[in-house]
Amino acid sequence: MCTFMMNLNPSACMKRLVNVIIILIINSTLFAQSLESPDGRLRMNFSLSEEGKPQYDLSLGTKAVIAKSSLGIRIKNRPGLDRNLLVRSTATLSHDETWKPLWGEESEIKNLYNELEVQLQQASEPGLRMVIRFRLFNDGLGFRYEFPAQPRMGHFIVEDEQTEFCMTGNHTAFWIPGDYDTQEYLYSMTPISAIESTISSRFTEIGTRKIFSSTGVQTPLLVRSADGLYFNIHEANLHNYPVMQLDFNKNALSFKAHLVPDALGNKAYAQTPFETPWRAVIVATRAIDLLASRLILNLNDPCAIEDVSWIKPKKYVGIWWEMHVGAATWNYSDSTNLKLATTDWSRLKPNGRHGATTQRTVRYIDFAAQHGFDGVLVEGWNVGWEDWYGQWKEDVFDFVTPYPDFDLAYLNRYAQEKGVRLIMHHETSSSVTNYERQLDTAFRLMKHFGYDAVKTGYVGWIIPRGEHHDGQWMVKHQLRVAAKAAENKIMINTHESHRPTGQHRTWPNWLACEAARGNEFNAWSIGNPPDHETILPFTRLMGGPMDYTPGIFQINLDHYQPGKKEKVHSTIARQLALYVTMYSPLQMAADLPESYERFPDAFQFIKDVPVDWDKSVYVEAEPGDFLTVARKAKAADQWYIGAITDENKRETSVPLTFLQPGQWYLATIYSDGDKAHFQHNPMSYTIRQFLVNSENIINIPLAPGGGCAIRIVKAESKMLKTFKKYR
Ligand code: NOJ
Ligand code: CA
């Protein structure tokens, strides 16, 4: 019985491919077709089971990565597109292009893949059609579901997604609990069979949490197999669909897609023609190769903004950490139960600890100008902070009314005279309906005063009540804000948003997101143990840059309040290394000016380090243990190296083979002091300078919880006499 029709019309497929093997009706399979990666190492098999269920598996050479796993979508009140399907036709093509991101870890990205398009149709009434499109790259697989416009399918509701990722053994996973509203967890590293997504006391500081299952986890999910594979399950180009989380089935050893529901329990509202985001599995045999993968970006659409001349990577300082460590407040007064519309803010009694004052902002502007920072973030500048937290209140902020002690017009003028821009802060307190109502006015105010960037925040439960941070409604909201910001030539940095899926390729004005547990947790919780920062690049950062806010020099926080127990779990040298290991085009120097002024020599590295790169070399890495990265500055012969370790000390060596042969360079090495230790001697560091060339291998001792940062610039001739050669 022939249950499919082949469509190999040559004019429609100029780049048809050879690496396609077609097998018809084998055992209990109705249809099967394979696809190989361009280098032939990865192989994906698509098949339809006897019941007409679509399935796939993935292998790297002889090693199975994903065992045979189900595919398909269930639609509300209609027969599902997950069984009883026929193959109408298939088509393949190959694609090879190199494109240039506006900013990033390198200036050119190769997008090379082989594609298989499978046209499916329900075997019985109503005969709905769906396409599954597979793209197999040398570093992994992407696939998505597409619903062409068709007579019997216009608007529809996604009830569930059947996508599975079946494991081939009890691998090790680096996971955070599946949660509809937050990703601000520490990672657990366990065999997959031991996944237990329950709230432990470690996570009580997270204000808004909605764990959906004791076996739920989030993506990007990092998996390491005993036979030496590293792979990462994530998604790409999420813009009109809920976030995909995963639920683990212990008996089947499989992860199943779990879409974040809306307030009614529905998953997604769609209208044909419609495409889901890409589901992605990035595969490597060395951990460092996962970091080098650009598969997620390649699965996103090209830049949607025509004039990008105004989009610039930024380094910034801000009135921020002093609130987190308790040295200042966001709120102007200690009165509560105030009403936005009727309160006369100038008559409120100030609490005397308000951070965002005109005077303090001038101090930051001067500091930024003196040290070459582009931006000054000011949080707590606008009225409403008295009542912002822990409520489910609709009208908390209007995003335009400054507190009486913050002179908006003067400060923007002053900043611009000094060549600095203030960065706007919109904490929505998750009253998103309110924010959407205010957005035009809020952006108009920003344009009027010359702001070119905004940090948004979504602390608390979402309004519309019942929606989740990771649901389709919020995903669309974030994209709407990014697009509107682009129209207004505004760059954005979202906190408490859904985690990135590479959309910054399309919207490069969306410079960074938080969407993970940032440095701020060190200020008011048990904090982030050193291994957290060795895991983030393999998990959260696989989707895009993070506003982690590194650069804390005053490690012990009892400096601000006697007896304060919280501390940053790091050495000073490690804080420097994070600017290189944790890529972002938006980096904050998060500590107070006073801290940097006490350590001007170490601060020099933060001033020098770029936020945009030509090239990145991942020297060595093991998630949870250590990470060393070298990056070449954009359009300059300068290299920066960052190395970090977990709570164990480590000796690492970096061969400088990436330097131009025959050229001498000056290396400035910021390393942990001899007796440095992240817990009892975190602020000890040394700075040494040597002449180096491409034949050198730099040996770096890293203290427990420590790190090292190195700046390498071309040596001028007079330096050849002044500095010693490295040996
Ligand atoms: C949480 C954000 O992550 C943090 O950066 C910000 O300071 C507070 N919310 C207040 O908006
Ligand atoms: Ca946060």
Side-chain angles (χ1 to χ4, degrees):
M1 179 180 65
C2 182
T3 55
F4 71 101
M5 302 174 295
M6 288 300 297
N7 170 13
L8 285 174
N9 167 5
S11 63
C13 47
M14 267 149 37
K15 294 186 223 152
R16 295 279 174 220
L17 194 69
V18 280
N19 288 328
V20 177
I21 300 159
I22 301 172
I23 311 157
L24 303 179
I25 316 180
I26 308 167
N27 302 329
S28 58
T29 307
L30 281 186
F31 174 89
Q33 184 159 348
S34 304
L35 186 65
E36 280 183 2
S37 58
D39 65 2
R41 290 174 73 229
L42 280 172
R43 182 188 183 88
M44 191 283 301
N45 300 305
F46 168 80
S47 60
L48 262 193
S49 75
E50 216 169 1
E51 306 83 57
K53 283 186 176 183
Q55 318 165 117
Y56 77 106
D57 61 71
L58 178 67
S59 52
L60 173 68
T62 54
K63 292 179 183 173
V65 182
I66 304 287
K68 192 177 270 188
S69 302
S70 298
L71 296 166
I73 300 279
R74 291 216 178 128
I75 294 173
K76 199 159 182 181
N77 301 328
R78 315 286 293 267
L81 281 149
D82 59 335
R83 72 192 70 189
N84 193 27
L85 299 175
L86 299 176
V87 173
R88 282 166 58 96
S89 64
T90 65
T92 59
L93 60 78
S94 60
H95 181 93
D96 184 358
E97 115 202 76
T98 299
W99 60 280
K100 291 181 193 260
L102 187 60
W103 44 257
E105 290 172 82
E106 56 260 299
S107 45
E108 289 198 339
I109 293 180
K110 194 159 177 63
N111 185 12
L112 172 70
Y113 60 80
N114 290 337
E115 178 176 298
L116 169 65
E117 174 196 278
V118 184
Q119 300 260 0
L120 296 158
Q121 182 161 19
Q122 290 172 333
S124 41
E125 286 293 301
L128 304 181
R129 287 190 288 122
M130 175 176 82
V131 176
I132 307 181
R133 189 174 305 282
F134 297 92
R135 285 189 183 161
L136 198 50
F137 302 77
N138 290 339
D139 54 353
L141 172 69
F143 61 88
R144 72 177 178 193
Y145 304 96
E146 299 174 1
F147 302 88
Q150 49 195 295
R152 294 178 176 196
M153 204 178 183
H155 288 270
F156 65 99
I157 296 176
V158 174
E159 191 175 68
D160 202 8
E161 181 172 324
Q162 298 304 102
T163 308
E164 277 180 347
F165 303 89
C166 292
M167 300 292 103
T168 57
N170 190 12
H171 305 322
T172 301
F174 295 72
W175 57 272
I176 55 172
D179 191 308
Y180 296 160
D181 283 289
T182 184
Q183 321 82 355
E184 297 188 351
Y185 290 100
L186 291 171
Y187 287 87
S188 296
M189 184 188 89
T190 70
I192 50 179
S193 60
I195 288 172
E196 190 76 62
S197 293
T198 46
I199 277 288
S200 70
S201 55
R202 297 204 293 169
F203 302 130
T204 46
E205 310 93 354
I206 303 173
T208 313
R209 314 176 295 243
K210 177 81 182 172
I211 287 188
F212 62 85
S213 148
S214 62
T215 44
V217 295
Q218 301 196 39
T219 79
L221 176 74
L222 172 66
V223 180
R224 187 174 61 199
S225 74
D227 61 354
L229 289 181
Y230 294 82
F231 56 96
N232 190 295
I233 302 173
H234 191 35
E235 63 179 314
N237 199 8
L238 169 66
H239 61 270
N240 184 13
Y241 207 66
V243 163
M244 177 184 73
Q245 303 203 5
L246 301 172
D247 204 4
F248 184 63
N249 177 332
K250 285 191 184 170
N251 298 326
L253 271 194
S254 100
F255 292 98
K256 179 176 172 295
H258 179 99
L259 302 181
V260 175
D262 77 344
L264 302 176
N266 292 324
K267 301 295 170 62
Y269 298 83
Q271 182 184 8
T272 59
F274 184 82
E275 295 151 0
T276 67
W278 294 92
R279 277 63 189 99
V281 184
I282 304 161
V283 189
T285 49
R286 301 182 305 173
I288 49 173
D289 295 336
L290 278 187
L291 301 177
S293 170
R294 300 294 167 246
L295 182 146
I296 296 290
L297 279 175
N298 280 330
L299 287 171
N300 272 269
D301 296 332
C303 182
I305 306 171
E306 220 165 280
D307 169 17
V308 289
S309 58
W310 50 277
I311 302 173
K312 301 260 187 289
K314 263 182 193 284
K315 271 191 287 185
Y316 71 105
V317 292
I319 301 183
W320 180 77
W321 185 243
E322 48 206 86
M323 278 85 90
H324 283 270
V325 296
T329 62
W330 281 271
N331 43 303
Y332 167 76
S333 88
D334 289 338
S335 310
T336 54
N337 195 25
L338 304 171
K339 286 211 168 64
L340 194 60
T342 53
T343 301
D344 180 353
W345 303 93
S346 63
R347 298 184 71 138
L348 281 183
K349 184 166 168 288
N351 67 10
R353 298 195 303 129
H354 184 217
T357 63
T358 300
Q359 200 189 7
R360 188 75 179 139
T361 309
V362 164
R363 163 79 160 114
Y364 271 86
I365 294 169
D366 289 343
F367 182 79
Q370 184 189 346
H371 297 289
F373 287 83
D374 312 286
V376 175
L377 168 74
V378 186
E379 294 199 0
W381 67 276
N382 58 326
V383 299
W385 288 89
E386 282 71 13
D387 287 307
W388 80 286
Y389 188 71
Q391 310 268 355
W392 213 330
K393 294 185 357 180
E394 181 117 18
D395 299 307
V396 183
F397 295 112
D398 67 4
F399 314 100
V400 290
T401 312
Y403 277 126
D405 59 349
F406 185 81
D407 191 335
L408 189 63
Y410 165 75
L411 287 168
N412 276 286
R413 226 175 25 245
Y414 184 73
Q416 283 163 44
E417 276 164 22
K418 295 242 162 179
V420 172
R421 295 289 186 108
L422 292 188
I423 298 178
M424 175 51 79
H425 184 227
H426 290 164
E427 173 55 65
T428 67
S429 69
S430 283
S431 176
V432 190
T433 34
N434 175 49
Y435 187 44
E436 292 215 346
R437 281 194 295 270
Q438 309 288 340
L439 203 54
D440 286 331
T441 321
F443 280 173
R444 212 172 305 128
L445 175 114
M446 287 179 60
K447 294 305 285 178
H448 178 76
F449 288 109
Y451 286 90
D452 64 356
V454 59
K455 168 179 172 180
T456 60
Y458 296 81
V459 171
W461 299 103
I462 299 292
I463 303 180
R465 297 177 183 87
E467 292 298 332
H468 296 291
H469 285 74
D470 280 5
Q472 184 188 22
W473 197 90
M474 279 304 291
V475 167
K476 287 178 77 169
H477 164 79
Q478 300 292 0
L479 266 296
R480 208 149 47 227
V481 175
K484 196 173 271 253
E487 263 167 52
N488 286 283
K489 298 197 164 54
I490 288 171
M491 292 170 271
I492 60 171
N493 167 22
T494 56
H495 276 226
E496 297 87 32
S497 58
H498 62 277
R499 80 283 187 270
T501 61
Q503 312 95 311
H504 53 285
R505 177 174 178 191
T506 316
W507 299 104
N509 65 317
W510 192 347
L511 292 181
C513 316
E514 183 193 41
R517 190 177 175 103
N519 220 1
E520 66 187 28
F521 271 77
N522 283 315
W524 35 257
S525 80
I526 59 161
N528 303 343
D531 65 358
H532 184 61
E533 288 146 1
T534 69
I535 299 172
L536 280 172
F538 291 96
T539 51
R540 158 67 182 76
L541 272 74
M542 294 298 292
M546 176 172 180
D547 185 31
Y548 187 74
T549 66
I552 303 300
F553 282 7
Q554 183 51 58
I555 303 278
N556 294 325
L557 304 179
D558 58 1
H559 175 84
Y560 300 103
Q561 285 171 19
K564 186 171 167 64
K565 285 194 214 60
E566 290 83 3
K567 63 204 294 285
V568 182
H569 300 94
S570 171
T571 61
I572 286 186
R574 178 196 189 82
Q575 289 293 305
L576 301 181
L578 294 177
Y579 288 89
V580 186
T581 60
M582 203 86 94
Y583 169 67
S584 177
L586 181 76
Q587 290 280 24
M588 185 175 199
D591 211 333
L592 277 52
E594 292 75 12
S595 302
Y596 294 130
E597 283 163 355
R598 284 205 305 283
F599 304 100
D601 52 355
F603 185 47
Q604 188 59 45
F605 183 82
I606 303 182
K607 290 163 63 172
D608 290 333
V609 68
V611 279
D612 197 11
W613 308 97
D614 262 344
K615 210 170 168 184
S616 293
V617 177
Y618 305 93
V619 180
E620 59 159 20
E622 189 56 44
D625 295 337
F626 55 86
L627 169 63
T628 303
V629 185
R631 302 192 198 265
K632 181 183 171 297
K634 189 86 154 254
D637 193 3
Q638 294 185 0
W639 285 81
Y640 292 77
I641 300 171
I644 59 171
T645 177
D646 61 5
E647 69 285 358
N648 301 306
K649 69 175 185 185
R650 181 175 172 77
E651 180 89 20
T652 187
S653 10
V654 185
L656 302 183
T657 43
F658 42 77
L659 298 179
Q660 272 184 49
Q663 170 69 44
W664 282 102
Y665 294 81
L666 180 69
T668 308
I669 306 176
Y670 302 77
S671 48
D672 293 319
D674 283 351
K675 300 208 166 70
H677 188 289
F678 77 107
Q679 281 164 324
H680 42 79
N681 189 17
M683 289 159 73
S684 153
Y685 62 87
T686 64
I687 303 174
R688 291 165 303 144
Q689 292 189 302
F690 297 103
L691 294 171
V692 296
N693 64 29
S694 62
E695 284 165 22
N696 286 124
I697 299 175
I698 299 194
N699 295 315
I700 313 167
L702 306 172
C708 178
I710 306 177
R711 175 174 192 253
I712 301 178
V713 297
K714 264 189 176 170
E716 292 160 22
S717 51
K718 62 174 190 258
M719 291 175 178
L720 299 176
K721 294 194 190 110
T722 330
F723 293 97
K724 286 203 180 114
K725 291 185 180 160
Y726 182 83
R727 47 177 91 227

